Amino acid sequence: MEHVGTPVRDPIERWTRRTRERPGDPRTIREMAAMLELSAALLRAETAASAVRSVVQLSFERLRVPIVGLLPQRSGNGWFVAAARGMGPRRSEIGRAVEGVSALRPSRSTRTRLAARVGQLAGRDRVEAIPAGDAVLIAADLHPDLRAFVRTAAALLDETLAHLGAVDWARIRNDNLDLALAWTAHELRGPLVDARTALGHVQVDEHEPRSRELLQRSRDELDQLAELVDPLLEWSTGSGPLRKRPVDLFGVVDEALTSCRREDPRGDVVLLGEAGVSVSADPQQLRVALSNVIRNAIAYSPAGSVVTVAVRSGDGYGRVVVRDRGPGVPAAERHLLFDPFARGTIGKQTRSGTGLGLFIARRIVEAHGGSIGARVVRPGMEFRIDLPLPVHRRLPSAS
């Protein structure tokens, strides 16, 4: 099976030069008409997915080229099938075929793997993976005379995606005020509920030792609340401050677990792993991220099941793995998992909430130079958080 995918230098200029050399050729005229139609469609595209669909649709209809358009999921852990025409299998089948191929910094080897999986599924012998910015176009049985056109279309798609990314960023910046308010409300809810509960007990008998203990805990919670307000408002605009220092990852996870158990004592959570995994982090902000992931796992777990949280190190990273045994996330919704306010169909049916927790966790983890991802493990979901270890921890021993 042949898998080609090396980018062509200046494909737009090369295709234009070829059309000038053969202006009266019927195929050249058809390709020029198709390129004009594609350019107009890309100008109208409002999202990355619609831009990819335009390229796939026109390439198939005008050139009869079986083609698939892929976009990286926002989590970076897989690919979203934006469009597929003429290849044979349905989009959902192609999505399952490319599941597990990382979309983080995709390389030529990544495109080769994507082409191989799609080709094997479709029973095609000649498959090419063509880069188009963040997207990948996978074409089968591509005639050499048409390859220049498809690569030119990929180059136009690359420029369109870059433009749409800038537009999306401007739109996100305009929405930051609303997001800041929602985010703050989400994070302040836990400490406020704890403080209100404790103060309610104190009102019963303020002279009892237990009441004094609850009063002190309320004070601690409110102190924590005051410390969170300003950083959260800054984080929501993408500029949250980090006060990094060496911290024991196991200890930060344990503190996050304590907070989650206090909010929902019904959650059965087991902490596994090793102490002494030191990472450079802002412990307060990292605790917020970890609490959100663990809280999410507890919320989606059926009664009587256990959520496991494991801490380990390896490959230059400190890793936290959170696994629940809930219903999981449908394949069609996994690319939205870390988006703000995206709760999915299962979340809307089974629990309340704003859908901000995992978005907040991703923002904080990535600000630490780490990554967060999720996968279905059946039963349930497994979330993995990787944080870089200090450089001296990664170097091999001289002994």
Side-chain angles (χ1 to χ4, degrees), residues 42 44-52 71-72 74 134 157-176 179 236-237 336 339-340 359 362-363:
L42 290 176
R44 293 192 299 267
E46 296 183 355
T47 66
S50 65
V52 173
L71 280 168
R74 298 198 178 184
D134 291 335
L157 178 58
D158 181 3
E159 295 183 3
T160 301
L161 294 179
H163 170 73
L164 289 173
V167 172
D168 284 344
W169 175 243
R171 187 181 299 118
I172 289 170
R173 296 293 293 182
N174 290 335
D175 291 341
N176 271 337
L179 183 57
S236 63
T237 59
L336 301 173
D339 282 6
F359 168 72
R362 184 188 68 174
R363 182 71 67 86

Side-chain angles (χ1 to χ4, degrees), residues 261-295:
R261 289 186 179 122
R262 203 159 48 222
E263 293 179 25
D264 188 354
R266 297 169 300 172
D268 191 357
V269 186
V270 175
L271 177 58
L272 308 170
E274 54 186 280
V277 178
S278 179
V279 297
S280 179
D282 182 322
Q284 181 171 302
Q285 300 290 356
L286 183 57
R287 187 164 55 246
V288 169
L290 293 168
S291 296
N292 284 341
V293 177
I294 296 168
R295 194 182 297 124

Side-chain angles (χ1 to χ4, degrees), residues 211-227:
S211 296
R212 289 196 296 270
E213 177 187 340
L214 290 172
L215 185 61
Q216 181 59 48
R217 198 180 81 188
S218 298
R219 180 176 179 178
D220 293 342
E221 291 286 352
L222 291 172
D223 285 344
Q224 178 186 357
L225 187 63
E227 292 176 0

Side-chain angles (χ1 to χ4, degrees), residues 292-338:
N292 284 341
V293 177
I294 296 168
R295 194 182 297 124
N296 180 81
I298 294 173
Y300 282 98
S301 294
S305 67
V306 177
V307 172
T308 58
V309 183
V311 180
R312 60 178 72 103
S313 63
D315 299 326
Y317 289 91
R319 177 168 296 168
V320 181
V321 179
V322 180
R323 177 176 177 178
D324 64 58
R325 285 162 177 79
V329 177
E333 297 178 357
R334 286 175 203 160
H335 67 288
L336 301 173
L337 198 56
F338 295 94

